[in-house]
């Protein structure tokens, strides 16, 4: 798997509009990309930065998505979002919470 990881500077005054755009446009567009596995759109209130991690099942799919994001930088800037870092990286390990295997109570 490969991921496209980004750090973004956002215009805090437009954050509500940006969050609506994420939910109504960006997430559906991203989910429809070939090879999409999962995605996270995050906000750090201490720095005001946005962080994204979008995982794909192949290097080719991740590279195509990175190029797509780069091609939309002008539209993003008009919405008050500028890219600080956008990198394609190899996923070397992952872990996920599985509620069925998680037991509450005393440690054995």
């Amino acid at each position: 798997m490969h991921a496209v990881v980004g750090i973004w500077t956002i215009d805090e005054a437009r954050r509500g509009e940006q969050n609506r755009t994420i939910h109504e446009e960006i997430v559906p567009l991203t989910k429809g990309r070939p090879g999409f596995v999962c995605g996270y759109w995050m906000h750090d209130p201490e720095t005001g930065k946005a962080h994204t991690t979008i995982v794909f099942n192949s290097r080719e799919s991740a590279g195509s998505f990175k190029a797509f994001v780069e091609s939309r930088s002008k539209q993003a800037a008009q919405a008050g979002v500028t890219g600080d870092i956008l990198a394609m990286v190899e996923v070397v390990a992952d872990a996920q919470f599985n509620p069925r295997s998680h037991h509450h109570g005393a440690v054995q």
Side-chain angles (χ1 to χ4, degrees), residues 6-12 15 18-19 22 41-52 80-85:
I7 300 176
W8 312 86
T9 297
I10 61 170
D11 178 351
E12 285 289 334
R15 192 154 162 239
Q18 292 160 352
N19 282 344
I22 288 169
W41 289 260
M42 302 156 280
H43 178 258
D44 180 349
E46 286 189 26
T47 64
K49 299 281 186 178
H51 297 249
T52 55
V81 178
T82 54
D84 297 353
I85 295 171

Side-chain angles (χ1 to χ4, degrees), residues 13 17 21-23 31 36-37 51 57 63 65 80 85 96 103:
E17 169 193 342
T21 301
I22 288 169
H23 290 283
K31 285 173 66 175
F36 173 81
V37 174
H51 297 249
N57 65 7
F65 179 73
I85 295 171
Q96 296 178 17
H103 301 285

Side-chain angles (χ1 to χ4, degrees), residues 8-100:
W8 312 86
T9 297
I10 61 170
D11 178 351
E12 285 289 334
R14 299 176 70 186
R15 192 154 162 239
E17 169 193 342
Q18 292 160 352
N19 282 344
R20 274 190 302 282
T21 301
I22 288 169
H23 290 283
E24 295 172 7
E25 296 176 29
I26 295 172
V27 169
L29 262 175
T30 302
K31 285 173 66 175
R33 298 292 301 189
F36 173 81
V37 174
C38 65
Y40 298 92
W41 289 260
M42 302 156 280
H43 178 258
D44 180 349
E46 286 189 26
T47 64
K49 299 281 186 178
H51 297 249
T52 55
T53 301
I54 316 299
V55 180
F56 292 89
N57 65 7
S58 71
R59 178 177 173 77
E60 294 74 26
S61 293
S64 172
F65 179 73
K66 182 176 183 277
F68 172 72
V69 172
E70 290 168 339
S71 76
R72 294 176 53 95
S73 63
K74 189 176 282 188
Q75 293 100 311
Q78 290 171 345
V81 178
T82 54
D84 297 353
I85 295 171
L86 188 65
M88 184 176 70
V89 296
E90 182 181 359
V91 177
V92 296
D94 72 284
Q96 296 178 17
F97 177 73
N98 182 345
R100 285 183 241 126

